[in-house]
Amino acid sequence: MKEQIRVLVKLQHLDTETVRIKSTLNAVSKKLENLDSSLKEIEKTIKDQESVLNELKKQYRDYESDVKMNLAKNKKSQGKLRSIKTNKEYQSLLKEIEDVKSKNSSIEDKMIECLDRMDETEENIAKKKDEYLQFSDHIKSEKQSIEHEAGIDKKKLDELNMDREKVSGLIDAQLLKKYLVLKEQHQGSLAVVPVKDAVCHGCNVNLPPQLYNELFRYDSLKFCPNCHRIIYLKE
């Protein structure tokens, strides 16, 4: 029984390592996804800023068109001044000309503001594009590192599976079945645990003296009366 316990502990170690590596490999795709997501976030920011810039350019062109239209209108009104016969009409036309000039002045202020915002947006886009290039290089390097580690882990997993098959063949069928049942019951925890100084290392509870003494004989499989795991003496 002592040899069977020793082999069972070895099997448990292989299973624990297999679970760890599988968990690491499962996290790989999530890591790669997160890296791509971070890059896409910068891409989205650039596109949003480019949309803002295009809108500002369109707005600027509209302002330019309004200014030109108002200048043409004033030029036409200036021509009419020569043919005005009454003072009232003359004053009315002058006011109209001044109103148009005032409108143009207001539009030109908006054009200056628009130009400032365009410059600021172009600067932001340039910065984000630089950030994108730098982060893109970083991600490429990071991905290569992650994929390299994943390749090593996959190789380890294959080796563990082969070792497990060999070790499983050395264990009594009934004992293996009991181990697998306990492993299922204690998901995320050990099914076979050592005992030291009469204390079960699975649940940290003291064993009855008689059971503890029986462990030294290795004549049969023993279980912790508290956590029901398979127990063995820690040497």
Side-chain angles (χ1 to χ4, degrees):
M1 183 55 68
K2 186 174 183 180
E3 180 60 19
Q4 283 287 288
I5 292 291
R6 186 189 69 78
V7 178
L8 193 61
V9 170
K10 186 176 180 180
L11 177 66
Q12 180 171 255
H13 172 73
L14 292 171
D15 284 344
T16 302
E17 188 65 6
T18 298
V19 169
R20 184 192 68 77
I21 290 176
K22 280 183 177 179
S23 176
T24 302
L25 287 172
N26 287 338
V28 166
S29 58
K30 188 65 180 173
K31 283 180 182 177
L32 295 174
E33 222 175 86
N34 288 339
L35 288 171
D36 286 336
S37 178
S38 300
L39 199 60
K40 283 176 183 175
E41 195 63 37
I42 299 175
E43 282 178 349
K44 184 180 180 302
T45 302
I46 291 171
K47 284 179 182 176
D48 289 345
Q49 287 292 299
E50 284 175 341
S51 294
V52 170
L53 182 60
N54 289 334
E55 189 59 36
L56 287 168
K57 286 179 178 178
K58 181 182 176 299
Q59 197 173 50
Y60 187 83
R61 287 194 299 271
D62 289 342
Y63 287 147
E64 269 188 327
S65 179
D66 289 344
V67 168
K68 286 176 183 177
M69 187 178 68
N70 287 336
L71 286 172
K73 188 177 180 181
N74 263 6
K75 189 176 181 181
K76 191 176 178 181
S77 296
Q78 291 284 355
K80 281 183 182 179
L81 284 175
R82 300 188 192 93
S83 59
I84 295 297
K85 295 179 181 179
T86 66
N87 185 56
K88 186 177 180 183
E89 287 177 329
Y90 187 82
Q91 293 299 324
S92 176
L93 197 55
L94 276 179
K95 185 178 183 306
E96 188 179 309
I97 290 169
E98 286 303 315
D99 286 345
V100 170
K101 283 182 180 179
S102 178
K103 280 182 185 178
N104 264 5
S105 177
S106 176
I107 292 170
E108 284 164 359
D109 287 342
K110 289 177 182 176
M111 286 173 75
I112 291 169
E113 184 184 339
C114 196
L115 283 171
D116 288 340
R117 287 182 63 196
M118 282 162 64
D119 288 342
E120 184 183 344
T121 306
E122 284 174 341
E123 191 178 326
N124 288 339
I125 290 171
K127 283 179 182 176
K128 278 293 171 185
K129 282 184 175 178
D130 283 343
E131 184 183 336
Y132 179 87
L133 289 173
Q134 290 173 18
F135 196 56
S136 182
D137 288 341
H138 166 72
I139 282 180
K140 187 178 178 182
S141 172
E142 191 73 15
K143 277 185 174 182
Q144 285 174 345
S145 175
I146 290 170
E147 285 163 357
H148 175 69
E149 290 297 323
I152 293 172
D153 282 340
K154 283 175 184 174
K155 189 177 177 182
K156 281 182 185 174
L157 194 59
D158 289 339
E159 290 170 357
L160 284 168
N161 287 333
M162 286 190 289
D163 287 346
R164 190 188 190 283
E165 195 173 339
K166 290 176 186 175
V167 172
S168 298
L170 301 174
I171 301 172
D172 176 76
Q174 287 301 314
L175 178 56
L176 182 60
K177 186 178 177 181
K178 185 65 183 174
Y179 163 75
L180 292 173
V181 169
L182 285 170
K183 183 182 165 188
E184 186 69 26
Q185 289 174 352
H186 296 278
Q187 283 185 353
S189 186
L190 300 177
V192 186
V193 294
V195 170
K196 187 175 183 182
D197 298 330
V199 175
C200 169
H201 281 212
C203 59
N204 294 318
V205 169
N206 279 58
L207 299 179
Q210 184 180 343
L211 176 60
Y212 180 58
N213 289 331
E214 287 173 0
L215 281 174
F216 287 88
R217 295 203 293 264
Y218 285 101
D219 55 356
S220 63
L221 201 62
K222 304 298 179 186
F223 300 89
C224 173
N226 182 61
C227 66
H228 310 295
R229 292 177 171 91
I230 296 170
I231 52 176
Y232 67 96
L233 279 175
K234 185 176 182 181
E235 296 176 359

